[in-house]
Amino acid sequence: MVANLKRQALERLSEHASRKNGELGFSTNSPFLDLSPWVRSPGQKYSSAINSSDTWTGPLANTSAEDTETDIDAVDKIFSDLLDAINAEKNSLLEDIDETDTDAYWPYKSQQQ
């Protein structure tokens, strides 16, 4: 048995994507966003400054804040779904595989070249 190099690559990709999401201020894959009404989504966090009393208020500010919240939360969902897909693929692979398995030599060249 040898390490599954494809799974290891997906683990690194998952860690990288998760770290970058955090740097962008997204808390992707956080179960607390769905369960806790006091936890603000990234869209709520960033849009709250648009129609605050020290920035800009009024009907147009409210509309702009709502649009911003919707757009930012949509991007957060895309990043979260991507991370979920990476993790699902990674978790579907064994950590250790037979040395004759092609994933033991991943990335490998296609046999159809």
Side-chain angles (χ1 to χ4, degrees):
M1 299 297 277
V2 296
N4 187 334
L5 298 180
K6 185 174 182 181
R7 182 184 168 103
Q8 289 179 352
L10 287 168
E11 286 174 357
R12 290 189 303 275
L13 180 60
S14 175
E15 291 167 3
H16 177 77
S18 184
R19 185 175 51 256
K20 290 299 181 181
N21 287 343
E23 290 173 8
L24 291 170
F26 294 122
S27 53
T28 55
N29 306 81
S30 174
F32 302 112
L33 290 179
D34 295 332
L35 302 175
S36 303
W38 60 86
V39 175
R40 297 188 309 174
S41 71
Q44 291 170 325
K45 177 182 172 185
Y46 291 109
S47 68
S48 66
I50 293 175
N51 61 346
S52 67
S53 60
D54 61 341
T55 306
W56 177 35
T57 60
L60 184 57
N62 291 339
T63 301
S64 294
E66 290 169 5
D67 291 345
T68 298
E69 179 179 346
T70 299
D71 291 345
I72 290 174
D73 285 341
V75 170
D76 181 50
K77 178 161 178 22
I78 290 167
F79 289 156
S80 183
D81 289 349
L82 174 63
L83 191 55
D84 284 344
I86 293 167
N87 287 331
E89 178 66 21
K90 174 192 66 140
N91 293 335
S92 73
L93 302 174
L94 297 172
E95 289 185 32
D96 294 314
I97 54 179
D98 189 81
E99 57 202 28
T100 60
D101 191 310
T102 56
D103 286 347
Y105 304 98
W106 193 89
Y108 42 85
K109 302 240 186 241
S110 172
Q111 302 298 330
Q112 300 175 0
Q113 290 185 0

